[in-house]
Amino acid sequence: MRTQTVVGVLCTVVFFHLVSRMAHANAIGKCKSQVSAFQKALQGHTYDTFKVNSPDVCVKRCDKEEKCQSINFVIDESICELNKESKEARPDNYVTDPRRIYMTVKFDKGGCFKSIVILNSWSFDCMYTCMYVYTWPSGTYGLPRSKTGCPQSPHASEWQIGWRLQDTEDTYPDSRHSNSFHIDAVVLKSHVNRSFCIKHVDKVSTEAKPWPKGQYCIYKKGVCPVGLSEGFIKWDDEDTNNKNNNGGTLPDGIYDKDTRISFCCRTNGNKSDPITLPVEKPFYLLAYGSSECQKVERALGTEEYIQYDNEDSKNSDEWEGSHPFMKY
């Protein structure tokens, strides 16, 4: 029999920190935001033009030059144009241009440090924010491991890695994954080998907050964090000559000839309301209630899945309580 578990959210946001950090107390109340504008440009104020590999190089160059106030980026030629004025100072020269992206860079020198968010090859946002590093929410728990590794943390020993090999079905197997797939896993027709990032200790931190309200699941490790409810999924793996195996630190569960994994889920929020989590590195959340991903602030999410083709004979797949969304 086949079960399909939808795995989300993968946040593919890259942050470039261009200005030195400021004390949080000094930055409060001074933050402003500026967003890049597609098909817009500032005309008549360009003082330097050169080719670049990506838009962030253009922004970094402008940030270093005292004279530069804004940029135009020519999309089809990868050309950077440095401007000595901004649209705020010269609104009459701010025009529509299908070939360009515009962004004010020197919007406010007296406030917060700056981050550049690259969303894809040609789109980017510039954010001024009063928070540089967000710590992960309090508690012990786990996340699916991304190909880029475990989440960034000020405590190197906070996250441990584990893996589980499931021998799913050997007769006409059909396990598979989505075309977009960035999880640290090997998915073949007859087996699935995936990795986990386990936050196995709860470091005391004044910055650590509870998991925010929303609709998503994480792996259970110990007691579910405050506000999350517990459940499990059991995969009935191959009965004959079963090759299940595992190593490292795993989520709570039962790992024998079958695989039973416990989860903790937030169920009392709205997926459309972005939640705040650290986005210095890509990470996964597990979708709850539907295949739609929980929105995360300053992040771009993609929906991915693994289809498990489990034991065909007298299948005993099982689930209970709060668990990730799946199609059966």
Side-chain angles (χ1 to χ4, degrees):
M1 299 181 69
R2 297 173 187 169
T3 63
Q4 177 174 297
T5 300
V6 177
V7 183
V9 168
L10 179 67
C11 299
T12 54
V13 178
V14 179
F15 281 75
F16 296 88
H17 304 285
L18 304 182
V19 182
S20 60
R21 307 180 195 180
M22 295 179 60
H24 176 59
N26 292 335
I28 292 176
K30 298 181 181 179
C31 295
K32 296 185 179 181
S33 63
Q34 184 69 5
V35 179
S36 58
F38 288 89
Q39 299 185 347
K40 289 288 186 178
L42 190 70
Q43 286 187 340
H45 300 285
T46 298
Y47 71 89
D48 196 4
T49 301
F50 50 91
K51 288 187 70 69
V52 292
N53 294 326
S54 63
D56 65 291
V57 175
C58 187
V59 177
K60 288 180 181 180
R61 174 74 172 271
C62 181
D63 185 73
K64 291 179 180 179
E65 298 193 14
E66 186 66 26
K67 186 177 181 180
C68 185
Q69 299 297 309
S70 66
I71 67 162
N72 300 322
F73 182 76
V74 185
I75 298 172
D76 55 352
E77 297 183 47
S78 295
I79 290 177
C80 175
E81 298 175 342
L82 303 183
N83 302 322
K84 60 185 177 181
E85 298 286 356
S86 67
K87 69 179 179 66
E88 288 77 20
R90 302 290 182 179
D92 292 342
N93 301 127
Y94 185 55
V95 299
T96 298
D97 187 331
R99 298 179 58 224
R100 285 171 168 79
I101 299 171
Y102 169 86
M103 187 170 66
T104 299
V105 176
K106 301 291 179 60
F107 188 73
D108 184 357
K109 297 181 183 179
C112 305
F113 46 83
K114 192 183 306 179
S115 298
I116 306 303
V117 183
I118 305 301
L119 298 181
N120 56 48
S121 297
W122 306 119
S123 63
F124 56 104
D125 295 337
C126 181
M127 296 183 180
Y128 292 75
T129 174
C130 291
M131 293 295 290
Y132 174 77
V133 174
Y134 294 102
T135 58
W136 278 89
S138 56
T140 56
Y141 45 82
L143 302 174
R145 189 170 189 260
S146 166
K147 289 179 180 178
T148 60
C150 289
Q152 186 170 316
S153 171
H155 307 287
S157 62
E158 193 169 25
W159 295 90
Q160 293 185 343
I161 301 171
W163 58 273
R164 172 61 169 176
L165 169 64
Q166 288 178 247
D167 182 358
T168 52
E169 171 58 37
D170 294 344
T171 304
Y172 304 111
D174 193 28
S175 293
R176 64 179 76 173
H177 62 72
S178 54
N179 291 330
S180 174
F181 195 69
H182 302 86
I183 193 171
D184 182 20
V186 175
V187 180
L188 302 179
K189 288 187 175 183
S190 62
H191 73 264
V192 175
N193 190 346
R194 50 184 162 147
S195 298
F196 311 93
C197 294
I198 305 298
K199 185 173 177 284
H200 67 112
V201 292
D202 189 13
K203 297 287 186 181
V204 177
S205 172
T206 57
E207 296 181 4
K209 306 295 183 183
W211 280 91
K213 289 184 178 180
Q215 292 188 38
Y216 54 88
C217 295
I218 56 178
Y219 293 118
K220 181 176 181 287
K221 188 64 176 178
V223 178
C224 280
V226 175
L228 280 70
S229 53
E230 181 179 347
F232 71 84
I233 296 176
K234 174 199 167 188
W235 289 260
D236 182 359
D237 298 326
E238 172 62 37
D239 287 345
T240 305
N241 194 25
N242 181 281
K243 300 180 181 65
N244 281 1
N245 201 358
N246 53 263
T249 305
L250 298 173
D252 288 354
I254 300 174
Y255 302 92
D256 48 28
K257 69 178 184 64
D258 297 323
T259 302
R260 172 173 160 163
I261 298 180
S262 297
F263 302 91
C264 300
C265 300
R266 262 292 195 186
T267 64
N268 60 343
N270 191 326
K271 292 189 178 189
S272 299
D273 295 334
I275 62 176
T276 300
L277 291 172
V279 289
E280 282 78 14
K281 289 183 66 176
F283 65 91
Y284 277 93
L285 294 176
L286 299 159
Y288 174 82
S290 72
S291 63
E292 181 184 358
C293 294
Q294 170 68 50
K295 292 189 181 300
V296 178
E297 287 185 356
R298 304 176 298 137
L300 181 67
T302 59
E303 180 183 307
E304 304 182 0
Y305 68 82
I306 298 175
Q307 175 176 292
Y308 300 84
D309 184 359
N310 298 337
E311 174 59 39
D312 291 339
S313 177
K314 298 180 180 179
N315 182 277
S316 61
D317 287 346
E318 185 182 2
W319 52 90
E320 186 177 293
S322 299
H323 57 75
F325 172 77
M326 63 180 185
K327 293 180 181 178
Y328 190 79

